[in-house]
Amino acid sequence: MAEKFYITTPIYYPSDKLHIGHTYCTVATDTIARYKRLQGYDVMFLTGTDEHGQKIEDKAREAGVTPKEFVDRIVEGPRGVKDLWKLMNISNDRFIRTTDDYHEAAVQRIFKRMYDNGDIYKGTYKGKYCKPCESFWTESQLVDGKCPDCGREVQDAEEEAYFFRLSKYADRIRDLLENTDFLEPRSRVNEMIHNFIDPGLEDLCVSRTSFTWGVPVDFDPGHVVYVWVDALSNYITALGYENDRYDDYKDGWWPGVNIVGKEIVRFHSIIWPAMLMSLGEPLPKKCFGHGWLLLDGGKMSKSKGNVVDPYLLAEKFGVDALRFFLMRTFPFGSDGNFSNELLIQTINVDLANDLGNLVSRTTAMAEKYFPEGLPAERQPDDTLDPDLIAQATALRDKYADAMDHYAPHKALEEVFKVIQRANKYIDENAPWALAKDMEANGTRLATVLYNLLEAVRICSVLLTPFIPATTDAIFSQLGACGSCNGCCKTWESAAHWGTLPAKLLVRKGENLFPRIDVEKAIAELDAIQEEARRAALPPIEIEPQLTEQVDFDTFCKSDFRAVKVKHCEAVKKSDKLLKFTLDDGTGTDRQILSGVHHWYEPEDLIGKTLVAIVNLPPRKMMGQESQGMLISAVHTEKGEEQLHLLMVDDAIPAGAKLC
Ligand code: ME8
């Protein structure tokens, strides 16, 4: 029976839309899950959403809906979390929502078990609270008086609360971190020991009374379970722990591998193992803390607003291109700077140039030179062939070594060495030259093409966890699967040269990754992002009214008159100013300059009756005198200033006083 492999992503806060940083973590976990399936493991891949807590309660209130309505929209709604994972071809076997009934009931039982065994007790919480992170901190844990995780302001907090005896597990946690390879990369171990274990683990506050959107403590209903105790439990409740929705916990699916971002390593490598110790359950096999994708050197946080929409990128560049970029570009354990240019460059260099060219040249030549199919006869060349064959057959083990060490970027590096080697092999063998004399060179040409097809096949097997839709397309171009029943796609076959059937009917398909025009694509992205930014702005903004009062006499000193536009023209060398010649009822023309050209063309205003204040001292604008000011109404719409000149009924004679 196949060995079980259970892997999880963090469950996401549906407090806002997911961004490319979340997509990174899920794509990475999906790639590992697919790799394990390829190797023959029986894989269970869990993801989900973490839906309780004050932050969600606050956001729902702002949106004027219930917390459940709020999270439902983000999780299940159009372009929500589930839609995104579907679009990104995420192969999760299960999706947990912490508002699922079975999970909530199981969390109550988990809390009660820890209470019953004396690990949870009641006390008073005094300390600092970071609302965005929903984390309590002691004074000594703050960095410059701010939250050590996100750097934001913290508030004083005091409330009756339940506490978890985390301190009791300090030695066992230290041992786990220092003396096993539970937590990776190793640098994260040092961070945990230095920041949390060495200063002394304190008991953890695990209930709240200041809000209600959470799992109630069933034996003390004023309290809700701390959102992290609720959230971390998902990894086992989703298998059926303390509930009968699933049977997998007792069927041996736990322990599993938790893939998490670096800022939540503390929860996963200290609190979570301590909870499991308290429950007497096995500890996770592994916690891998990956780095962050940064934007301009800062965290791409939804709270900071500089988000990159994965929908937009996947729709524009393709799901596989985005998946590939995320895994190829950023070493998994470290931070990396995300940019649109980098994404496009990676697509152009690796996917269009290296992989795309190899596949399209190989399949095009095979189809052109052997339209009836590749013959079975071979003519190897001891000088030209062995290096390609050796590199391609050695690839699988190097790849596995990288994947087993949670280094998907290194695995791809190895695959691309072989792709580059195969492209070189085309140039070394010049199939187009061989094709000039098919009678003399036909067998050698078939051999060269077969070798290339084999190299493409091996690379495609190993690329499948990363870009599954693309490799499907490649396999169908190779024309293998009709006759081999998928055996050329297996893990075993990736270390075997000569798996493709000797006789092959190759059909070149569509270009896998057309080259992208960098400047054009960046300009288009900028335009889309600008549109999205504007769409998110409030529709109409009106300037707040002044509270300072003017006395009536002062107000009466302003002389407002109806004026008729006799002539209007643009002021030379100014994009803004229009020059108005006005009848103000005095018999002498009045000239006013007004910065309204952005909204009006001069000819549209001739004959209109406007309102002007006529007793302002004259002033010079662009060298011309303006004798007063035209009155207009202004507001902001979708971030853009809007202006309307005040126009009154044409029946009102020029010079009529407005009061
Ligand atoms: O932390 N780069 O949820 P979350 C890389 N609900 N990864 C990033 C990232 C970025 N710019 N931004 C976010 C939570 N992430 C909890 C988890 S698990 C029991 C509870 C990653 O939606 C982040 O590091 O804030 C985390 O691993 C994941 O996205 C979910 O973040």
Side-chain angles (χ1 to χ4, degrees):
M1 224 173 58
E3 198 181 321
K4 291 182 165 62
F5 181 80
Y6 177 46
I7 188 162
T8 67
T9 69
I11 48 172
Y12 297 86
Y13 281 126
S15 61
D16 218 332
K17 291 214 152 174
L18 298 192
H19 56 65
I20 192 79
H22 302 116
T23 312
Y24 174 59
C25 181
T26 308
V27 166
T29 314
D30 182 65
T31 304
I32 298 166
R34 286 175 182 270
Y35 158 67
K36 287 290 189 181
R37 285 193 201 106
L38 178 64
Q39 284 189 316
Y41 284 84
D42 189 5
V43 172
M44 168 99 69
F45 169 18
L46 171 75
T47 187
T49 41
D50 177 7
E51 305 186 0
H52 291 126
Q54 187 163 9
K55 194 160 54 177
I56 304 268
E57 191 177 277
D58 289 351
K59 285 238 171 191
R61 191 176 311 110
E62 274 167 36
V65 293
T66 65
K68 185 65 168 55
E69 284 165 346
F70 181 82
V71 290
D72 278 353
R73 201 163 57 193
I74 298 184
V75 178
E76 310 275 350
R79 289 168 96 84
V81 179
K82 284 189 174 174
D83 273 2
L84 179 61
W85 298 154
K86 208 156 138 202
L87 173 72
M88 292 306 299
N89 212 349
I90 301 300
S91 63
N92 56 299
D93 300 283
R94 211 156 272 180
F95 189 101
I96 186 170
R97 299 183 56 181
T98 55
T99 51
D100 289 340
D101 291 347
Y102 76 91
H103 170 80
E104 291 188 345
V107 167
Q108 290 183 323
R109 288 184 206 115
I110 288 170
F111 196 89
K112 183 74 170 31
R113 275 183 60 170
M114 296 195 290
Y115 178 76
D116 286 345
N117 70 22
D119 276 348
I120 286 183
Y121 62 92
K122 204 172 196 174
T124 304
Y125 178 78
K126 278 201 196 93
K128 305 286 177 188
Y129 186 61
C130 174
K131 203 165 168 184
C133 294
E134 311 206 26
S135 290
F136 277 88
W137 302 101
T138 58
E139 198 74 53
S140 66
Q141 287 171 324
L142 301 181
V143 175
D144 299 329
K146 304 217 165 108
C147 171
D149 273 354
C150 73
R152 278 173 283 219
E153 295 291 338
V154 289
Q155 302 160 357
D156 284 323
E158 179 171 339
E159 60 185 50
E160 181 192 76
Y162 286 93
F163 285 82
F164 173 64
R165 287 191 204 283
L166 189 57
S167 55
K168 172 174 156 188
Y169 295 101
D171 290 345
R172 284 179 67 190
I173 299 286
R174 179 189 285 278
D175 183 51
L176 174 72
L177 295 175
E178 282 182 342
N179 301 323
T180 74
D181 58 6
F182 156 71
L183 176 59
E184 283 190 61
R186 204 65 203 163
S187 56
R188 307 261 178 250
V189 172
N190 303 333
E191 279 167 31
M192 291 302 114
I193 299 284
H194 179 77
N195 297 343
F196 302 105
I197 308 285
D198 281 347
L201 272 189
E202 292 173 28
D203 288 353
L204 178 73
C205 180
V206 289
S207 78
R208 301 283 180 269
T209 51
S210 50
F211 61 91
T212 55
W213 181 239
V215 177
V217 175
D218 53 353
F219 55 89
D220 197 348
H223 291 254
V224 294
V225 174
Y226 175 40
V227 70
W228 271 102
V229 169
D230 168 3
L232 289 162
S233 303
N234 94 89
Y235 299 129
I236 52 176
T237 63
L239 296 176
Y241 184 77
E242 287 290 2
N243 68 83
D244 44 22
R245 170 78 176 266
Y246 299 109
D247 285 333
D248 307 300
Y249 194 83
K250 66 172 168 26
D251 283 351
W253 278 95
W254 183 254
V257 171
N258 296 141
I259 306 287
V260 305
K262 65 176 186 179
E263 85 285 20
I264 57 172
V265 163
R266 177 173 78 99
F267 298 97
H268 286 82
S269 68
I270 297 177
I271 298 171
W272 176 223
M275 280 172 62
L276 290 163
M277 287 172 190
S278 170
L279 294 167
E281 301 296 340
L283 305 186
K285 272 189 201 148
K286 171 85 58 204
C287 169
F288 189 91
H290 65 75
W292 282 344
L293 293 195
L294 306 173
L295 260 189
D296 302 326
K299 194 185 173 205
M300 189 183 302
S301 153
K302 51 203 169 198
S303 326
K304 285 188 189 160
N306 52 0
V307 171
V308 178
D309 183 351
Y311 273 106
L312 195 153
L313 295 172
E315 283 162 359
K316 180 133 193 65
F317 299 111
V319 168
D320 275 359
L322 186 57
R323 287 176 61 107
F324 175 83
F325 163 71
L326 292 172
M327 293 299 93
R328 167 80 160 138
T329 316
F330 308 105
F332 194 43
S334 327
D335 290 350
N337 260 316
F338 175 88
S339 79
N340 292 327
E341 278 100 323
L342 197 56
L343 165 62
I344 298 167
Q345 261 167 26
T346 310
I347 297 174
N348 279 347
V349 173
D350 289 338
L351 295 178
N353 257 12
D354 287 355
L355 175 64
N357 258 345
L358 174 64
V359 175
S360 73
R361 290 202 291 172
T362 303
T363 53
M365 288 189 290
E367 182 175 348
K368 179 171 167 198
Y369 302 141
F370 299 102
E372 307 301 322
L374 229 60
E377 293 72 33
R378 298 284 171 261
Q379 185 188 333
D381 182 317
D382 288 348
T383 328
L384 290 170
D385 299 346
D387 190 48
L388 173 71
I389 297 172
Q391 280 203 36
T393 42
L395 171 61
R396 194 195 75 170
D397 289 349
K398 292 184 192 165
Y399 168 100
D401 187 50
M403 291 302 278
D404 290 341
H405 287 92
Y406 299 90
H409 59 288
K410 280 201 183 138
L412 283 178
E413 209 173 287
E414 295 299 336
V415 175
F416 273 74
K417 281 185 200 160
V418 174
I419 289 174
Q420 281 148 12
R421 182 65 192 84
N423 270 321
K424 194 165 147 222
Y425 180 83
I426 298 184
D427 300 335
E428 289 165 349
N429 285 279
W432 47 89
L434 295 172
K436 286 192 180 134
D437 186 349
M438 286 300 274
E439 207 163 311
N441 303 324
T443 311
R444 176 61 194 155
L445 178 59
T447 311
V448 168
L449 290 173
Y450 182 85
N451 287 343
L452 285 167
L453 291 163
E454 266 296 277
V456 168
R457 180 191 66 78
I458 288 178
C459 292
S460 299
V461 172
L462 300 175
L463 284 173
T464 297
F466 294 86
I467 45 174
T470 303
T471 54
D472 262 0
I474 297 176
F475 283 120
S476 74
Q477 293 187 25
L478 298 187
C481 303
S483 47
C484 86
N485 284 332
C487 57
C488 63
K489 296 179 182 176
T490 62
W491 178 248
E492 288 66 34
S493 79
H496 263 270
W497 192 260
T499 304
L500 281 173
K503 287 186 164 188
L504 268 179
L505 185 62
V506 178
R507 288 284 171 259
K508 181 182 170 352
E510 297 249 300
N511 241 359
L512 297 172
F513 296 99
R515 259 191 93 76
I516 298 169
D517 177 333
V518 183
E519 274 180 29
K520 191 164 155 249
I522 294 282
E524 282 166 9
L525 275 181
D526 285 350
I528 295 169
Q529 272 168 356
E530 176 57 16
E531 202 180 302
R533 187 191 67 79
R534 294 204 35 209
L537 291 170
I540 304 266
E541 280 176 274
I542 308 285
E543 239 186 72
Q545 296 186 4
L546 297 177
T547 46
E548 193 190 344
Q549 299 190 332
V550 285
D551 62 62
F552 189 68
D553 289 346
T554 310
F555 166 72
C556 288
K557 284 182 188 154
S558 304
D559 194 357
F560 292 99
R561 302 284 171 156
V563 291
K564 304 237 178 228
V565 182
K566 292 173 73 175
H567 183 70
C568 182
E569 64 185 42
V571 172
K572 283 197 189 94
K573 294 193 187 154
S574 165
D575 343 320
K576 290 187 190 156
L577 286 178
L578 291 184
K579 181 165 83 178
F580 291 80
T581 306
L582 302 161
D583 174 1
D584 62 2
T586 59
T588 311
D589 287 350
R590 175 178 291 271
Q591 173 170 298
I592 291 184
L593 273 68
S594 181
V596 297
H597 200 173
H598 180 68
W599 296 278
Y600 293 100
E601 286 308 319
E603 55 275 17
D604 298 337
L605 293 169
I606 293 170
K608 300 281 188 228
T609 309
L610 309 179
V611 175
I613 174 165
V614 294
N615 62 338
L616 289 175
R619 63 176 178 141
K620 286 245 162 126
M621 296 162 87
M622 302 286 287
Q624 308 208 36
E625 188 170 274
S626 182
Q627 303 156 326
M629 199 176 91
L630 294 170
I631 306 300
S632 35
V634 286
H635 71 275
T636 303
E637 197 166 328
K638 289 280 174 206
E640 247 183 50
E641 193 184 22
Q642 300 295 338
L643 178 144
H644 309 267
L645 278 167
L646 205 65
M647 296 189 192
V648 292
D649 196 323
D650 289 335
I652 298 173
K657 186 168 167 64
L658 281 86
C659 51

